Amino acid sequence: EVQLVESGGGLVQPGGSLRLSCAASGFTFSSYAMSWVRQAPGKGLEWVSYISSSGTTIYYADSVMGRFTISRDNAKNSLYLQMNSLRYEDTAIYYCATFSSSVYWGQGTPVTVSS
Amino acid sequence: DIQMTQSPSTLSASVGDRVTITCRASQSISSWLAWYQQKPGKAPRLLIYKASTLESGVPSRFSGGGSGTEFTLTINSLQPDDFATYYCQQYSSYLVTFGGGTKVEIK
């Protein structure tokens, strides 16, 4: 059974940092490009970042460029999102997902940026 | 970026109705389209991928069609559990984009 399990979300003050993790199982993680997608309260879905299967190709949404860093550890079947300089508008549920010949999503981890 | 235009934004229907939601891409995405159902407080649930492939465990009353730039999600014989918000998503490029959502309400 394919599983993507996010963790690391929580409450953080503006300007603070968080590191999200996504543990993958049930598929050959190292063969799949991965993405982070977020959903702010009451809003639609927004792509955040992409990393290729090898980790050599990375893209970010303009809204997080320079503040967020995506990475992966294929030996640990894990995906990460380091979020720095957090803003109120980064408050959202963050999902890890893969979109290719198969589509898999995790259940999400909530991030709240508030003073 | 590929823009996804979903319509209608709200749909009022009754149990047993057949409903169709449309999604239009700003450029051709071949069949790289997925449909999701989302209920409040829950993660999106994958219904359809590759435009017309039903995800395992999804009832057969859901069906997807189209290719290129025009896509549809059809729900045959709407059930009480189907009242939710539905999103389309293109994944033809690394920068995936989503439609604005269609809320299916009880008439």
Side-chain angles (χ1 to χ4, degrees):
Chain A
E1 179 194 5
V2 171
Q3 280 199 310
L4 292 170
V5 180
E6 302 93 337
S7 61
L11 174 64
V12 62
Q13 292 187 336
S17 298
L18 278 177
R19 188 193 195 210
L20 306 184
S21 298
C22 172
S25 60
F27 66 106
T28 308
F29 178 75
S30 59
S31 297
Y32 285 75
M34 298 295 298
S35 296
W36 288 97
V37 174
R38 68 183 180 183
Q39 187 172 34
K43 302 296 185 181
L45 296 154
E46 178 191 18
W47 170 78
V48 172
S49 186
Y50 163 99
I51 186 167
S52 62
S53 57
S54 63
T56 55
T57 301
I58 287 173
Y59 299 107
Y60 298 99
D62 289 346
S63 57
V64 307
M65 182 86 70
R67 301 187 298 121
F68 289 13
T69 302
I70 191 172
S71 62
R72 66 190 297 159
D73 185 335
N74 286 342
K76 293 183 178 180
N77 288 341
S78 292
L79 176 72
Y80 307 101
L81 187 68
Q82 177 66 44
M83 305 188 297
N84 298 331
S85 303
L86 282 161
R87 304 169 179 168
Y88 292 114
E89 56 265 34
D90 295 319
T91 294
I93 307 291
Y94 285 74
Y95 300 96
C96 66
T98 183
F99 311 108
S100 58
S101 55
S102 302
V103 175
Y104 306 132
W105 285 64
Q107 290 302 301
T109 187
V111 171
T112 302
V113 183
S114 175
S115 54
Chain B
D1 302 1
I2 300 173
Q3 307 304 315
M4 303 302 292
T5 304
Q6 196 174 330
S7 61
S9 56
T10 306
L11 190 161
S12 295
S14 302
V15 172
D17 284 354
R18 181 173 186 259
V19 302
T20 298
I21 300 168
T22 299
C23 189
R24 178 178 293 114
S26 60
Q27 64 189 69
S28 178
I29 58 170
S30 185
S31 295
W32 300 111
L33 184 103
W35 288 98
Y36 301 90
Q37 177 194 70
Q38 190 174 36
K39 296 183 178 179
K42 300 293 187 181
R45 175 196 181 193
L46 178 66
L47 301 174
I48 303 279
Y49 62 98
K50 284 185 186 174
S52 61
T53 302
L54 195 67
E55 171 72 346
S56 176
V58 174
S60 59
R61 63 180 179 273
F62 292 91
S63 63
S67 65
T69 61
E70 297 280 338
F71 301 88
T72 57
L73 172 70
T74 299
I75 310 172
N76 283 302
S77 187
L78 199 66
Q79 297 300 298
D81 189 49
D82 301 337
F83 292 97
T85 299
Y86 294 83
Y87 293 96
C88 63
Q89 175 217 355
Q90 68 78 21
Y91 54 105
S92 70
S93 76
Y94 71 88
L95 203 170
V96 304
T97 49
F98 299 85
T102 295
K103 186 174 184 180
V104 178
E105 299 180 327
I106 300 173
K107 196 173 199 178

